[in-house]
Amino acid sequence: MRVALLGGTGAVGQRFAQLLERHPWFELTTITGKTSVGKKYGEAVNWLLGGEVPEYVRDLTVMETDMRNLKEVDLVFSALPSGEAASIEREVMRAGIPMVSNSSLLRMDPLVPLVIPEVNPDHLALLNEQRRVGSGPVATSPNCTTTILVIPLKPLNDRYGIKRINVASYQAISGAGYPGVPSYDIVDNIIPFISEEEEKVEKESKKILGRFNGKEVDQAGFEVQATCVRVPVIDGHTVAVHAEFEEEVDVDEAIRILESFDPGERIRKLPSSPEKVIVVRRERDRPQPRYDRLTGKGMSVTVGRLRRGASSNTLLFVAHGHNTIRGAAGGAILLAELMRSEGII
Ligand code: NAP
């Protein structure tokens, strides 16, 4: 499939370019930008990922983000800033060009599925509703922190039923894109505010863990409270979770549930699927960004510090995942792979 990447020079766009190199199904043929329009990708991009800009994209000319440049493609990935995404993503949706977006613009649209393939693949059925009104198929992947929080919550929710979640995040600098947070603000410091992040974590996790009722998604009924903090780490978001459940929790059983979490054959066989979605570490000081961010080529979520809280139905844990891989480009590519393998695109 010929693929266009909107906003391809940014932190997430670069991950897409890296992960799509030699992809068995998707061929990146169009890259769009704003300030870099007309330049060769290799010259326009400030490559953040180490090594060289992949050869296959180096000489692609960055195009204007305009519908005229999307006519020849079979699939669009959007890595646009959400404000910039407003008109073009809606146009792509209306034009019926398949799209998977990383931006927040359409995530909470009732007609748009917000999907983590291992968690709520059934929500893709919402695309039938899009088809009925003559648009799409357009699906979105969640905010990076939400993804890292929700993956371990999924099997725990299935077993114990979530009542309330309190989460504090420790988010990497690359989560703010490039150039992102000024060095003067973040070196020797932490910043206890990330604009709109807490609202995203609270709303999106309830949509993803909600139930598709055949027509729309009923939001999950539990409470989520988040405090999101930027820390001086380059890549990888960490979340400290205090989860209160309907039922009493057994810590050893919870560990077994997380370790044995299997998203099923239809997800496992996808090219970007990690061998293990959730990796549990038993050391008392893990997960850590430096050692755990690339687990499963950046597609696994590492969970540690599992212990019981003050009451018998609370569980405390720390989860970590790569924000631009699992939390952005890698998650979106996995979602597009699922859509293709299910015959949606
Ligand atoms: P970024 O580093 O600031 O990159 C944004 C890119 O978009 C820039 O390279 C810019 O390209 C391009 N752009 C800006 N306006 C554009 C327009 N009108 N048309 C085409 N391209 C335009 O941001 P990012 O971190 O990659 O984030 C991209 C999106 O992914 C955002 O919506 C963000 O919320 C979401 N997201 C980010 C992460 C993360 O960890 N960073 C995780 C999940 C989701 P030019 O250089 O050509 O101007």
Side-chain angles (χ1 to χ4, degrees), residues 6-14 16 32-37 44 48 62-65 78-85 88-89 101-105 107 141-145 172-180 197 200 230 235 237 322-325 327-329:
L6 313 183
T9 55
V12 173
Q14 294 182 31
F16 271 109
T32 80
K34 188 177 184 182
T35 58
S36 51
V37 170
L48 302 166
V62 179
M63 316 276 268
E64 206 179 321
T65 308
S78 172
L80 290 173
S82 48
E84 301 284 342
I88 188 80
E89 287 201 359
S101 175
N102 260 287
S103 94
S104 60
L105 177 81
R107 286 183 195 144
S141 57
N143 160 277
C144 35
T145 309
I173 298 168
S174 61
Y178 186 81
E197 194 78 356
K200 287 179 192 166
R230 185 81 62 203
D235 286 319
H237 289 354
H322 200 299
N323 54 299
T324 63
I325 303 179

Side-chain angles (χ1 to χ4, degrees), residues 6 39 42 47 74 95 126 130 136 152 176 202 214 247 322 331:
L6 313 183
K39 293 185 189 153
W47 191 250
D74 306 303
L126 254 186
Q130 278 185 25
E202 289 164 10
E247 290 189 28
H322 200 299

